[in-house]
Amino acid sequence: MKTNIKMNTKIAAVVVLFLMAMGSNAQIDRSKMPEPGPAPKITLESPEEFQLKNGIKVLVVENHKLPRVSYSLTIDNKPIAEGDKAGVSSILAAMLGNGTTSIPKDEFNDEIDFLGANLGFGAQGGYASSLSKYSDRIVELMADAAINPLLTKEEFEKEKEKLLESLKSQEKSVDAVANRVGGALSYGLNHPRGEFVTEATVNNIEFGDVRAFYEKYFSPNNAYIVVVGDVETETVKKQLEDHFGKWEKIASIDTTVPAPSDNVQYTQINFVDMPNAVQSNISLTNNVDLKMNDDDYHSVLIANKILGGGFGSYLNMNLREEHGYTYGARSSVGTSRYNASRFTAGAAVRNAVTDSAVVETLKEINRIKTEPVDAEKLANAKAKYVGDFVLALENPQTIARYALNIKLNDLPEDFYSTYLKKINDVTVEDVNRVANKYFKTENARIIVVGKGSEVLENLEKTGIPIKYYDAYANPVDKPVFSKPLPEGLTAETVVKNYVKAVGGEANLRAVNSTLVKADVTIPGAPFKPEAIIKQMSPNKFSMELIAQGMGTLMKQNFDGENGYMEQQGRKIPMDAETLSSRKSTKGLFEELFLDASAINLESQTTVDGADVYKIAVTKNDKTSFRYYDVESGYLVRTEETTEAQGQSMTTVTDYSNYQEINGVMMPYTMKVTTGPQSFIFETKEVMINEGVTAEDFN
């Protein structure tokens, strides 16, 4: 099935809000920065505190503005390593909150819905909220789900399968691999923050492992419950004693958290080759030992804000605004009570500028370490933190979170009441000092996950040493990107082999129309639309995306001469470039009409571990690429680059799962990737030479 789908990527419009203020008649000396005013005075109410007999510590913040209440349960365990059964906590989290030993799953969830409440659990805590008039019942349900969870083998098998499916969907995700490898190399594979979940570790998990994890780690030991809302403290005390007071403590567990890996001795690129990558993920990282009660804490917040913590940061203004390498560049610094946090800085960038983005990232980090920050930038960073802090205080849960932070992080009681003063006290010298202390460009890993055949040559020219890893953080040799071509093989031969493999020239020329129905997976979307794709020789094309209950989401039509894109009832004519490409298409199988002078066999390389022949196709003065499997002869990938608003955009389409329909082999799975977006088409029905008329393309 050769669908020739063109995915039109819209670049989100940037909306700029101008704030205008009336000025007075007084003369203002604009050559001087205005003196900052005093920090807003913050008065934080201290929560009411008490402790249940089983040791659960309770913090209550009364707020009677709205008739709602929330309950947050936090079990303060040390970081837990799951080893060869990594994933057991994820399965437990998915199973908790779905019924109790006395209330079946459906009945339990129906009552939560009837109360208009929310209830959910993680592997080490939970959360519930409702109208305050239902507070006693929601506490009862939450406690019952925590103390007497309905953990059944049937639910275990369902959640285990879901986790395996999720892992499969991430196999080709550049971002998922970058996160996995980054954590593993920074902390070590045996560290709780360095280990990761794999298909092998999930398959090691049995139902008994989930029960054992719950019994060992989900307990009132070191537990906190934070209550916020329209309640009375005395009422809350009775509710929690009645329901959570039944929870029995277990024997204390003394868990040792291993030390994370040391920072590397010299700056290096840690490269992971992903041949399917259409852009590179760059992440410069080093471990830091930073706690919330450290004297440096507030200075680090401001330094990171200036470097990469917002739109106007050094990194974003360079990589996005000045050079157009990325949609956004960011940095972050974590804190940890267990010396297990990191500084990271990076972005997702186009393949062609991967090396330049690495160089510019290092440049901006070294800039904040060596040059005094501009006074205006420092003032703006402080103003942003002050504004965010004051706004957050409007949310009653913020007060509760702050109170819990004080308990968990051994903070002074006045930590938040003096927070803004400490932010405003940060100086230019402080920014420079903490940048040198925590942003370790001289001992950093620059983790790059990308398409080695396109980016490695230029990365080597940076002069930064490169080490190679696979997608699971194992050291590997430098990848080989091309193999010797068989003597006498030509692009024309490869194309003819494809035609023969998928059915032969006679069968392909007999196909005058195709109708394909497919389910479409859009990552992050809460629905799965259906795609109806129609084609008619020589070049008529139509695709419609339909979602149940939502109607047509998008439609694209081309009648051989003219076409349009329709979205939300609005028709937009096809641009000249798309029309030209459509008009130049001949037949439903492009290989039957490729001019031998316009195709060139470039190399033998690999796609997803399989050997393929890479062919360049020149049409309308543009070059695209097609990859054919060496063994089967099937087309497995196409690459096409277009220009949009001054930036290059590459669309990669992967074809797999070929099945025979009326003597013709067609790929039933198609994945279309453009920039950070991916769409997976799973074919469920194909009709050849039926179900399509010329009127369908009007």
Side-chain angles (χ1 to χ4, degrees), residues 72 169 226 235 364 465 484 508 556 693:
S72 299
S169 71
V226 181
T235 302
E364 294 301 337
L508 298 192
Q556 190 179 95
T693 67

Side-chain angles (χ1 to χ4, degrees), residues 456-467:
L456 254 183
E457 183 178 352
N458 285 333
L459 279 175
E460 290 171 339
K461 293 177 182 177
T462 66
I464 303 171
I466 302 176
K467 294 186 176 182

